[in-house]
mmCIF file of all heavy atoms in Angstrom:
data_model
loop_
_atom_site.group_PDB
_atom_site.id
_atom_site.type_symbol
_atom_site.label_atom_id
_atom_site.label_comp_id
_atom_site.label_asym_id
_atom_site.label_seq_id
_atom_site.Cartn_x
_atom_site.Cartn_y
_atom_site.Cartn_z
ATOM 1 N N ILE A 77 216.460 177.807 61.471
ATOM 2 C CA ILE A 77 217.238 178.722 62.294
ATOM 3 C C ILE A 77 217.323 178.240 63.739
ATOM 4 O O ILE A 77 218.274 178.539 64.466
ATOM 5 C CB ILE A 77 216.642 180.143 62.233
ATOM 6 C CG1 ILE A 77 217.581 181.130 62.930
ATOM 7 C CG2 ILE A 77 215.246 180.193 62.817
ATOM 8 C CD1 ILE A 77 217.142 182.563 62.794
ATOM 9 N N ALA A 78 216.338 177.445 64.170
ATOM 10 C CA ALA A 78 216.315 176.962 65.554
ATOM 11 C C ALA A 78 217.437 175.968 65.839
ATOM 12 O O ALA A 78 217.700 175.647 67.002
ATOM 13 C CB ALA A 78 214.966 176.312 65.861
ATOM 14 N N ARG A 79 218.123 175.503 64.791
ATOM 15 C CA ARG A 79 219.230 174.548 64.987
ATOM 16 C C ARG A 79 220.278 175.128 65.931
ATOM 17 O O ARG A 79 220.915 174.397 66.693
ATOM 18 C CB ARG A 79 219.839 174.228 63.623
ATOM 19 C CG ARG A 79 221.041 173.304 63.636
ATOM 20 C CD ARG A 79 220.666 171.901 64.060
ATOM 21 N NE ARG A 79 221.815 171.006 63.943
ATOM 22 C CZ ARG A 79 222.801 170.926 64.824
ATOM 23 N NH1 ARG A 79 222.781 171.704 65.904
ATOM 24 N NH2 ARG A 79 223.794 170.088 64.659
ATOM 25 N N GLY A 80 220.438 176.443 65.901
ATOM 26 C CA GLY A 80 221.432 177.090 66.750
ATOM 27 C C GLY A 80 221.088 177.067 68.223
ATOM 28 O O GLY A 80 221.935 177.389 69.069
ATOM 29 N N ALA A 81 219.849 176.680 68.552
ATOM 30 C CA ALA A 81 219.450 176.637 69.961
ATOM 31 C C ALA A 81 219.991 175.416 70.689
ATOM 32 O O ALA A 81 220.042 175.393 71.923
ATOM 33 C CB ALA A 81 217.917 176.642 70.058
ATOM 34 N N VAL A 82 220.416 174.406 69.940
ATOM 35 C CA VAL A 82 220.827 173.132 70.556
ATOM 36 C C VAL A 82 222.053 173.314 71.446
ATOM 37 O O VAL A 82 222.141 172.726 72.535
ATOM 38 C CB VAL A 82 221.087 172.077 69.462
ATOM 39 C CG1 VAL A 82 221.580 170.764 70.078
ATOM 40 C CG2 VAL A 82 219.810 171.822 68.651
ATOM 41 N N ASP A 83 222.999 174.116 70.993
ATOM 42 C CA ASP A 83 224.215 174.348 71.785
ATOM 43 C C ASP A 83 224.003 175.362 72.904
ATOM 44 O O ASP A 83 224.918 175.660 73.654
ATOM 45 C CB ASP A 83 225.352 174.831 70.876
ATOM 46 C CG ASP A 83 225.828 173.736 69.933
ATOM 47 O OD1 ASP A 83 225.761 172.559 70.314
ATOM 48 O OD2 ASP A 83 226.243 174.069 68.804
ATOM 49 N N ARG A 84 222.790 175.898 72.990
ATOM 50 C CA ARG A 84 222.502 176.899 74.015
ATOM 51 C C ARG A 84 221.548 176.363 75.083
ATOM 52 O O ARG A 84 220.864 177.133 75.753
ATOM 53 C CB ARG A 84 221.931 178.155 73.363
ATOM 54 C CG ARG A 84 222.851 178.743 72.297
ATOM 55 C CD ARG A 84 222.518 180.173 72.026
ATOM 56 N NE ARG A 84 223.131 180.672 70.801
ATOM 57 C CZ ARG A 84 223.078 181.928 70.404
ATOM 58 N NH1 ARG A 84 222.418 182.819 71.137
ATOM 59 N NH2 ARG A 84 223.641 182.320 69.295
ATOM 60 N N GLY A 85 221.506 175.038 75.194
ATOM 61 C CA GLY A 85 220.780 174.457 76.317
ATOM 62 C C GLY A 85 219.375 173.972 76.030
ATOM 63 O O GLY A 85 218.594 173.773 76.965
ATOM 64 N N TYR A 86 219.040 173.771 74.739
ATOM 65 C CA TYR A 86 217.696 173.321 74.385
ATOM 66 C C TYR A 86 217.730 172.003 73.624
ATOM 67 O O TYR A 86 218.668 171.732 72.862
ATOM 68 C CB TYR A 86 216.996 174.361 73.502
ATOM 69 C CG TYR A 86 216.667 175.632 74.238
ATOM 70 C CD1 TYR A 86 217.589 176.680 74.297
ATOM 71 C CD2 TYR A 86 215.454 175.787 74.891
ATOM 72 C CE1 TYR A 86 217.306 177.840 74.992
ATOM 73 C CE2 TYR A 86 215.151 176.949 75.587
ATOM 74 C CZ TYR A 86 216.083 177.972 75.630
ATOM 75 O OH TYR A 86 215.800 179.123 76.321
ATOM 76 N N ALA A 87 216.695 171.200 73.827
ATOM 77 C CA ALA A 87 216.431 170.088 72.919
ATOM 78 C C ALA A 87 215.597 170.660 71.778
ATOM 79 O O ALA A 87 214.723 171.497 71.993
ATOM 80 C CB ALA A 87 215.661 168.990 73.627
ATOM 81 N N LEU A 88 215.892 170.233 70.568
ATOM 82 C CA LEU A 88 215.170 170.730 69.391
ATOM 83 C C LEU A 88 214.379 169.587 68.765
ATOM 84 O O LEU A 88 214.913 168.498 68.524
ATOM 85 C CB LEU A 88 216.150 171.303 68.369
ATOM 86 C CG LEU A 88 215.541 171.732 67.027
ATOM 87 C CD1 LEU A 88 214.561 172.879 67.233
ATOM 88 C CD2 LEU A 88 216.641 172.128 66.038
ATOM 89 N N ILE A 89 213.109 169.847 68.510
ATOM 90 C CA ILE A 89 212.244 168.901 67.812
ATOM 91 C C ILE A 89 211.902 169.505 66.453
ATOM 92 O O ILE A 89 211.328 170.590 66.379
ATOM 93 C CB ILE A 89 210.932 168.645 68.596
ATOM 94 C CG1 ILE A 89 211.227 168.171 70.022
ATOM 95 C CG2 ILE A 89 210.047 167.656 67.842
ATOM 96 C CD1 ILE A 89 211.776 166.788 70.140
ATOM 97 N N ASP A 90 212.272 168.827 65.385
ATOM 98 C CA ASP A 90 212.027 169.293 64.017
ATOM 99 C C ASP A 90 210.920 168.416 63.420
ATOM 100 O O ASP A 90 211.099 167.214 63.250
ATOM 101 C CB ASP A 90 213.322 169.174 63.212
ATOM 102 C CG ASP A 90 213.220 169.786 61.824
ATOM 103 O OD1 ASP A 90 212.185 170.385 61.509
ATOM 104 O OD2 ASP A 90 214.195 169.648 61.054
ATOM 105 N N VAL A 91 209.778 169.024 63.112
ATOM 106 C CA VAL A 91 208.551 168.271 62.830
ATOM 107 C C VAL A 91 208.158 168.333 61.355
ATOM 108 O O VAL A 91 208.227 169.390 60.726
ATOM 109 C CB VAL A 91 207.387 168.850 63.674
ATOM 110 C CG1 VAL A 91 206.069 168.162 63.340
ATOM 111 C CG2 VAL A 91 207.693 168.712 65.159
ATOM 112 N N GLU A 92 207.745 167.194 60.808
ATOM 113 C CA GLU A 92 207.048 167.215 59.531
ATOM 114 C C GLU A 92 205.549 167.209 59.809
ATOM 115 O O GLU A 92 205.101 166.732 60.860
ATOM 116 C CB GLU A 92 207.414 166.003 58.669
ATOM 117 C CG GLU A 92 206.756 164.697 59.083
ATOM 118 C CD GLU A 92 206.797 163.629 57.992
ATOM 119 O OE1 GLU A 92 207.196 163.927 56.857
ATOM 120 O OE2 GLU A 92 206.432 162.485 58.295
ATOM 121 N N TYR A 93 204.805 167.759 58.881
ATOM 122 C CA TYR A 93 203.350 167.735 58.990
ATOM 123 C C TYR A 93 202.780 167.528 57.589
ATOM 124 O O TYR A 93 203.469 167.741 56.580
ATOM 125 C CB TYR A 93 202.815 169.028 59.616
ATOM 126 C CG TYR A 93 203.265 170.313 58.944
ATOM 127 C CD1 TYR A 93 202.544 170.875 57.883
ATOM 128 C CD2 TYR A 93 204.420 170.973 59.366
ATOM 129 C CE1 TYR A 93 202.950 172.048 57.274
ATOM 130 C CE2 TYR A 93 204.833 172.153 58.748
ATOM 131 C CZ TYR A 93 204.100 172.681 57.708
ATOM 132 O OH TYR A 93 204.509 173.839 57.099
ATOM 133 N N ARG A 94 201.533 167.113 57.517
ATOM 134 C CA ARG A 94 200.926 166.867 56.211
ATOM 135 C C ARG A 94 200.772 168.183 55.446
ATOM 136 O O ARG A 94 200.252 169.161 55.980
ATOM 137 C CB ARG A 94 199.573 166.184 56.384
ATOM 138 C CG ARG A 94 199.673 164.713 56.763
ATOM 139 C CD ARG A 94 198.320 164.141 57.106
ATOM 140 N NE ARG A 94 197.832 164.663 58.387
ATOM 141 C CZ ARG A 94 196.590 164.502 58.829
ATOM 142 N NH1 ARG A 94 195.705 163.856 58.090
ATOM 143 N NH2 ARG A 94 196.235 165.000 60.003
ATOM 144 N N LEU A 95 201.239 168.186 54.218
ATOM 145 C CA LEU A 95 201.141 169.364 53.372
ATOM 146 C C LEU A 95 199.779 169.405 52.689
ATOM 147 O O LEU A 95 199.050 168.410 52.660
ATOM 148 C CB LEU A 95 202.276 169.364 52.349
ATOM 149 C CG LEU A 95 203.698 169.294 52.942
ATOM 150 C CD1 LEU A 95 204.727 169.219 51.828
ATOM 151 C CD2 LEU A 95 203.975 170.487 53.854
ATOM 152 N N SER A 96 199.446 170.569 52.128
ATOM 153 C CA SER A 96 198.097 170.746 51.581
ATOM 154 C C SER A 96 197.811 169.842 50.390
ATOM 155 O O SER A 96 196.650 169.547 50.105
ATOM 156 C CB SER A 96 197.883 172.211 51.190
ATOM 157 O OG SER A 96 198.852 172.646 50.250
ATOM 158 N N GLY A 97 198.860 169.375 49.682
ATOM 159 C CA GLY A 97 198.648 168.434 48.588
ATOM 160 C C GLY A 97 198.244 167.061 49.073
ATOM 161 O O GLY A 97 197.694 166.251 48.313
ATOM 162 N N GLU A 98 198.513 166.776 50.341
ATOM 163 C CA GLU A 98 198.156 165.489 50.943
ATOM 164 C C GLU A 98 196.865 165.578 51.729
ATOM 165 O O GLU A 98 196.031 164.665 51.702
ATOM 166 C CB GLU A 98 199.293 165.018 51.854
ATOM 167 C CG GLU A 98 199.025 163.708 52.562
ATOM 168 C CD GLU A 98 200.173 163.264 53.450
ATOM 169 O OE1 GLU A 98 201.239 163.926 53.451
ATOM 170 O OE2 GLU A 98 200.019 162.243 54.149
ATOM 171 N N ALA A 99 196.685 166.671 52.455
ATOM 172 C CA ALA A 99 195.478 166.851 53.275
ATOM 173 C C ALA A 99 195.286 168.332 53.532
ATOM 174 O O ALA A 99 196.239 169.056 53.820
ATOM 175 C CB ALA A 99 195.612 166.092 54.597
ATOM 176 N N ILE A 100 194.039 168.801 53.437
ATOM 177 C CA ILE A 100 193.769 170.223 53.659
ATOM 178 C C ILE A 100 193.560 170.497 55.149
ATOM 179 O O ILE A 100 193.505 169.573 55.973
ATOM 180 C CB ILE A 100 192.552 170.698 52.838
ATOM 181 C CG1 ILE A 100 191.264 169.990 53.289
ATOM 182 C CG2 ILE A 100 192.791 170.481 51.347
ATOM 183 C CD1 ILE A 100 189.986 170.599 52.708
ATOM 184 N N PHE A 101 193.442 171.796 55.477
ATOM 185 C CA PHE A 101 193.131 172.215 56.836
ATOM 186 C C PHE A 101 191.907 171.433 57.345
ATOM 187 O O PHE A 101 190.957 171.204 56.594
ATOM 188 C CB PHE A 101 192.835 173.718 56.823
ATOM 189 C CG PHE A 101 192.205 174.237 58.081
ATOM 190 C CD1 PHE A 101 192.985 174.622 59.148
ATOM 191 C CD2 PHE A 101 190.823 174.320 58.207
ATOM 192 C CE1 PHE A 101 192.412 175.088 60.311
ATOM 193 C CE2 PHE A 101 190.234 174.778 59.370
ATOM 194 C CZ PHE A 101 191.029 175.160 60.423
ATOM 195 N N PRO A 102 191.910 170.968 58.611
ATOM 196 C CA PRO A 102 192.829 171.319 59.705
ATOM 197 C C PRO A 102 193.949 170.305 59.954
ATOM 198 O O PRO A 102 194.467 170.238 61.063
ATOM 199 C CB PRO A 102 191.890 171.370 60.902
ATOM 200 C CG PRO A 102 190.912 170.257 60.638
ATOM 201 C CD PRO A 102 190.700 170.277 59.138
ATOM 202 N N ALA A 103 194.304 169.506 58.947
ATOM 203 C CA ALA A 103 195.314 168.465 59.149
ATOM 204 C C ALA A 103 196.607 169.027 59.731
ATOM 205 O O ALA A 103 197.221 168.424 60.621
ATOM 206 C CB ALA A 103 195.598 167.755 57.827
#
């Protein structure tokens, strides 16, 4: 939903992170 912020004056960073099948908390 944050994609709509780009045209309203923001840079958007869309992040991947390690999922629980790859690494558990606190990864």
Side-chain angles (χ1 to χ4, degrees):
I77 188 174
R79 177 68 175 79
V82 177
D83 291 329
R84 303 200 194 186
Y86 291 89
L88 174 64
I89 304 289
D90 187 5
V91 176
E92 76 163 352
Y93 54 89
R94 285 172 289 169
L95 303 177
S96 58
E98 179 180 355
I100 64 169
F101 167 86

